[in-house]
């Protein structure tokens, strides 16, 4: 879990993924034939096939949700906006950390009725006494990540940014299995997913794959009074059928199911109401791409305590590896 912990604790809000990219390059560079960073910051790693194969793209996003400073008031309090989907209630009295190490406590205007909380009523307190003093540490447009601890919860682990460092972690572990097949494999670590799949949009166009699979977290239906959903923690990795951004291609779905059966991988089928992944952008690239998604069940998504199951992570790695191994041939 050390690599996952390192990935989660590193900060990389959308558009500022360089810390994450550096960690990933160190991890994968000895296992791929080439890698490059594109203008949007996507890290595109290529493992060449032995020839005559297809082009396969795997994608996991490096960015995490966060906040961005909009106004610094006379007393030195920072007003902020969201980077990605931020629930104001998840932010109350949490701490955020800026790139230069400045930490702030998030609170809200004292006259706010709890049911009416929104980001415009919230501020960040960095301990400055004036606008002038605050400006020594923070500028308009600076972004910050949630402060969180990586904790072991028996079967589960919890931290900020599991969305989608858990996916990055599984993809890195798959790269390290070092399979060589006839297919050219593109392992892509994307940027700005949380702002609308932006990195995946250009990376998908660039790679122009025959098949694509995104790896990302998904919700579960197993916490008290949860919104109805069949996905459960510890019940295996998910093969996505549908979310708000894609209907997974039936070829890819069937292929993934066969891979799972062949390698004894515990999986569950996923229909996610609300939410999208990088495959939503990739499958609409050029003339269209046959795409699917491997999802990791996660509780408390977009909070400082995103939680995943150690067992599900293992199954996720196994499924990625199996999809590589069987080379996207449906009848094997
Ligand atoms: Co997300
Ligand atoms: Zn995600």
């Amino acid at each position: 879990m050390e690599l996952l912990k390192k990935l989660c604790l590193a900060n990389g809000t959308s558009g500022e993924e360089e810390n994450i990219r550096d960690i990933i390059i160190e991890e994968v560079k000895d296992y791929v034939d080439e890698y490059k960073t594109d203008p949007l910051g996507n890290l595109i790693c290529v493992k060449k096939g032995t020839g005559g194969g297809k082009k396969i793209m795997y994608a996991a996003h490096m960015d995490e949700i966060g906040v961005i400073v909009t106004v610094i008031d006379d007393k030195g309090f920072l007003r902020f906006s969201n980077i990605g989907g931020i629930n104001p209630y998840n932010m109350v009295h949490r701490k955020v950390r800026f790139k230069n190490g400045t930490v702030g406590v998030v609170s809200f205007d004292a006259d706010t009725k709890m049911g009416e909380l929104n980001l415009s009523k919230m501020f960040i307190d960095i301990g400055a006494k004036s606008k002038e003093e605050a400006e020594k540490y923070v500028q308009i447009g600076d972004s910050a990540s949630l402060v969180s601890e990586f904790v072991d919860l028996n079967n589960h682990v919890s931290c900020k940014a599991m969305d989608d460092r858990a996916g990055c972690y599984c993809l890195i572990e798959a790269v390290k299995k070092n399979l060589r097949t006839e297919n050219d494999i593109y392992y892509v670590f994307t940027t700005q997913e949380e702002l609308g799949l932006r990195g995946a949009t250009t990376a998908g166009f660039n790679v122009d794959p025959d098949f694509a699979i995104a790896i990302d977290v998904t919700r579960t239906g197993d916490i008290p009074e949860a919104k109805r959903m069949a996905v459960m923690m510890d019940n295996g990795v998910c093969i996505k059928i549908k979310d708000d951004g894609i209907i997974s291609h039936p070829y890819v779905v069937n292929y993934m199911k066969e891979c799972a059966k062949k390698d004894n991988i515990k999986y569950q089928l996923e229909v996610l109401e609300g939410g999208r992944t990088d495959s939503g952008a990739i499958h609409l690239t050029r003339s269209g791409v046959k795409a699917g998604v491997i999802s990791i069940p996660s509780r408390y998504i977009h909070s400082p305590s995103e939680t995943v199951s150690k067992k599900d992570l293992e199954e996720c790695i196994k499924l990625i590896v199996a999809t590589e191994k069987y080379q996207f041939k449906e009848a094997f």
Side-chain angles (χ1 to χ4, degrees):
M1 295 281 102
E2 277 310 304
L3 175 59
L4 179 60
K5 180 178 177 178
K6 190 172 168 188
L7 287 163
C8 286
L9 290 178
N11 289 335
T13 53
S14 307
E16 303 198 325
E17 298 89 352
E18 54 279 351
N19 292 336
I20 318 308
R21 193 166 53 236
D22 290 347
I23 294 171
I24 296 171
I25 289 172
E26 273 310 304
E27 293 292 328
V28 304
K29 66 177 196 299
D30 295 337
Y31 300 92
V32 296
D33 298 312
E34 55 192 60
Y35 63 87
K36 65 174 181 195
T37 301
D38 79 1
L40 264 65
N42 295 302
L43 174 62
I44 302 177
C45 307
V46 190
K47 192 164 64 191
K48 296 219 176 76
T50 52
K54 304 273 185 197
K55 234 195 254 182
I56 316 295
M57 175 175 177
Y58 293 94
H61 68 90
M62 297 185 284
D63 60 311
E64 69 189 90
I65 56 160
V67 297
I68 183 166
V69 176
T70 52
V71 170
I72 303 175
D73 80 13
D74 292 339
K75 296 210 165 82
F77 294 103
L78 320 176
R79 296 291 179 166
F80 64 94
S81 181
N82 59 304
I83 295 179
I86 294 268
N87 178 335
Y89 296 95
N90 286 341
M91 300 302 291
V92 173
H93 301 143
R94 302 290 183 183
K95 295 165 196 85
V96 294
R97 181 174 279 116
F98 292 88
K99 269 210 279 195
N100 63 4
T102 299
V103 174
V105 173
V106 181
S107 191
F108 53 89
D109 299 341
D111 61 355
T112 307
K113 292 197 190 80
M114 251 306 130
E116 293 166 8
L117 186 64
N118 61 59
L119 294 190
S120 74
K121 298 184 184 339
M122 302 185 80
F123 58 83
I124 301 168
D125 174 357
I126 59 165
K129 282 185 279 195
S130 65
K131 181 175 188 171
E132 228 176 21
E133 195 186 348
E135 282 173 341
K136 287 185 198 154
Y137 302 101
V138 174
Q139 305 292 307
I140 304 301
D142 283 356
S143 59
S145 299
L146 286 157
V147 173
S148 169
E149 200 185 338
F150 187 95
V151 290
D152 191 305
L153 305 169
N154 301 313
N155 296 309
H156 305 157
V157 284
S158 180
C159 194
K160 75 164 177 73
M162 283 292 175
D163 175 10
D164 183 27
R165 307 289 158 68
C168 294
Y169 163 76
C170 291
L171 193 50
I172 292 167
E173 291 299 319
V175 174
K176 289 178 175 174
K177 299 288 189 236
N178 218 6
L179 289 184
R180 180 85 59 178
T181 68
E182 66 184 29
N183 295 327
D184 294 330
I185 310 286
Y186 290 73
Y187 304 100
V188 182
F189 298 89
T190 63
T191 56
Q192 301 188 40
E193 190 272 353
E194 299 293 355
L195 298 182
L197 324 178
R198 294 177 187 173
T201 303
T202 61
F205 185 89
N206 182 338
V207 172
D208 192 16
D210 296 297
F211 295 101
I213 293 180
I215 301 108
D216 208 336
V217 297
T218 192
R219 252 179 348 95
T220 68
D222 61 357
I223 55 171
E225 312 302 324
K227 187 172 165 187
R228 187 179 296 141
M229 190 173 183
V231 172
M232 308 283 174
M233 296 281 278
D234 308 299
N235 228 5
V237 65
C238 300
I239 295 173
K240 190 189 291 282
I241 308 297
K242 179 192 179 292
D243 64 19
D244 283 354
I246 190 171
I247 291 178
S248 297
H249 195 282
Y251 185 96
V252 180
V253 169
N254 289 331
Y255 173 68
M256 289 197 286
K257 283 186 193 169
E258 281 189 56
C259 287
K261 280 176 203 148
K262 190 95 176 161
D263 282 11
N264 254 318
I265 296 163
K266 199 168 181 197
Y267 75 94
Q268 32 190 340
L269 298 175
E270 173 207 351
V271 175
L272 173 66
E273 297 176 90
R276 296 185 297 163
T277 73
D278 279 344
S279 277
I282 297 164
H283 86 296
L284 298 179
T285 223
R286 297 179 187 248
S287 314
V289 175
K290 290 176 180 163
V293 181
I294 295 175
S295 307
I296 302 160
S298 177
R299 292 178 180 165
Y300 325 122
I301 292 176
H302 289 195
S303 85
S305 304
E306 297 178 337
T307 302
V308 300
S309 148
K310 296 174 196 171
K311 279 230 54 185
D312 294 342
L313 290 174
E314 276 172 37
E315 301 301 296
C316 178
I317 296 164
K318 286 198 307 203
L319 185 55
I320 299 168
V321 172
T323 60
E324 272 190 75
K325 184 167 72 179
Y326 297 114
Q327 305 187 70
F328 284 76
K329 291 170 179 155
E330 206 166 5
F332 49 78

